[in-house]
Amino acid sequence: MRPPRIAREVRDAIEARYVAGSEPSSVLPSERRLAAEFGVARATIRAALAMLREQQQIRSVGGGPPVVVDPRLTKAPQLTSFTQDARARGWRPSSRVLDAAEEQADVTVARDLGIPPASGVVRVRRLRLADHSPMAVEEVWLPQAIFPGLLGHDLTGSLYELFETEYYAGILRHDRRISAISLDDQLAALLEVEAGSAALFATQLGFDRRGRRVELGRSIYRGDRYDFTTVTFAARRRDASVPPADRAWRQRRLVAEGAR
């Protein structure tokens, strides 16, 4: 049932005054103070705060006062799963399996996974959620030879944990490429945003400890809920480790030797 209009208006007012632009972990006023400030009943305040929690804009820990959270989930350069990232933020990760099947690898999938065309693969497409809020749609192709019987397992949890515990094929490295896209009607409906909203499209190839290509993934991340961080190093010349004075001396010596 849709919340009453007054509760939605109070939610918007609380968001504008106390959430938008606030630092993460900022504490909101008490329900009593908010009720007095906006001239509404505490039940209305509780309904408004509940909506903000559902939107993952605030959260409460151990019965304490609500605090502002950063609604974006940041992917650090370290290789971590969605489940690990969500849990680190104090969110409850979950998945809804949209489709899962055993099929033959087409030419593109076979090439990326380094297997012959028409080899058996398992394709799993899932909607990833944090505190019941949709965050991403992911689709992966996995070599059936490495993951036999995968469809007999629960696929709503962390696949990476399943790979490690059941198949001893933990992901050690990702090769990932990220680009910006706009969501079509179908994807927008799954992610509960407007059609045409910005999103991040990531393709990734996962390698296990033995260097095998064990995962080809294509994921769509909500642009308003996700960002990625990278670590970049400056390019070094071959002689960059040689002090400038030594480089000058070496250059003079080479010139002198060339003149002999």
Side-chain angles (χ1 to χ4, degrees):
M1 185 174 63
R2 192 179 186 189
R5 178 182 57 82
I6 184 64
R8 298 196 303 272
E9 292 176 353
V10 172
R11 173 204 59 191
D12 294 342
I14 295 174
E15 178 183 2
R17 188 170 302 182
Y18 294 107
V19 178
S22 297
E23 292 293 327
S25 299
S26 299
V27 180
L28 268 65
S30 66
E31 289 183 4
R32 185 185 301 276
R33 177 178 162 186
L34 290 172
E37 181 176 347
F38 294 106
V40 297
R42 291 182 64 176
T44 301
I45 295 296
R46 283 192 288 271
L49 294 177
M51 285 185 279
L52 290 172
R53 288 190 184 92
E54 290 176 1
Q55 296 168 358
Q56 297 181 3
Q57 300 207 58
I58 63 172
R59 63 189 293 259
S60 300
V61 180
V67 297
V68 175
V69 299
D70 185 350
R72 303 177 73 89
L73 190 61
T74 297
K75 287 291 295 180
Q78 294 82 10
L79 198 161
T80 55
S81 68
F82 173 87
T83 298
Q84 291 171 316
D85 293 336
R87 287 174 178 167
R89 292 292 305 274
W91 296 343
R92 296 183 302 278
S94 60
S95 302
R96 190 168 84 225
V97 178
L98 303 173
D99 189 25
E102 295 178 351
E103 56 189 32
Q104 293 182 331
D106 62 24
V107 174
T108 301
V109 170
R111 179 200 63 207
D112 290 343
L113 287 175
I115 58 178
S119 297
V121 291
V122 181
R123 180 177 58 84
V124 181
R125 186 168 183 255
R126 303 188 299 171
L127 178 66
R128 309 307 305 271
L129 306 102
D131 285 351
H132 306 293
S133 178
M135 301 284 286
V137 176
E138 68 173 26
E139 190 168 22
V140 296
W141 288 261
L142 311 160
Q144 196 171 350
I146 298 176
F147 301 103
L150 182 67
L151 296 185
H153 293 278
D154 179 10
L155 303 180
T156 61
S158 171
L159 290 183
Y160 284 5
E161 291 178 6
L162 181 62
F163 297 167
E164 180 73 45
T165 59
E166 295 294 330
Y167 295 96
Y168 306 102
I171 303 295
L172 181 66
R173 190 188 99 206
H174 267 167
D175 290 352
R176 177 179 281 146
R177 182 177 182 180
I178 303 169
S179 56
I181 63 169
S182 296
L183 294 174
D184 60 23
D185 292 344
Q186 182 181 17
L187 286 170
L190 283 172
L191 293 173
E192 298 182 4
V193 295
E194 296 291 333
S197 296
L200 298 173
F201 174 58
T203 60
Q204 64 192 33
L205 191 61
F207 298 79
D208 70 0
R209 293 181 180 87
R210 296 162 60 182
R212 298 179 298 178
R213 301 181 183 189
V214 298
E215 175 207 21
L216 170 64
R218 298 170 185 165
S219 301
I220 309 291
Y221 300 95
R222 280 179 53 166
D224 63 335
R225 304 304 301 276
Y226 250 94
D227 56 32
F228 287 75
T229 62
T230 62
V231 176
T232 305
F233 297 92
R236 297 182 60 185
R237 294 171 52 185
R238 285 186 300 173
D239 61 350
S241 60
V242 181
D246 291 346
R247 287 202 298 271
W249 174 85
R250 188 172 66 179
Q251 184 66 27
R252 290 195 300 272
R253 180 179 176 183
L254 290 174
V255 171
E257 290 177 350
R260 292 176 184 175

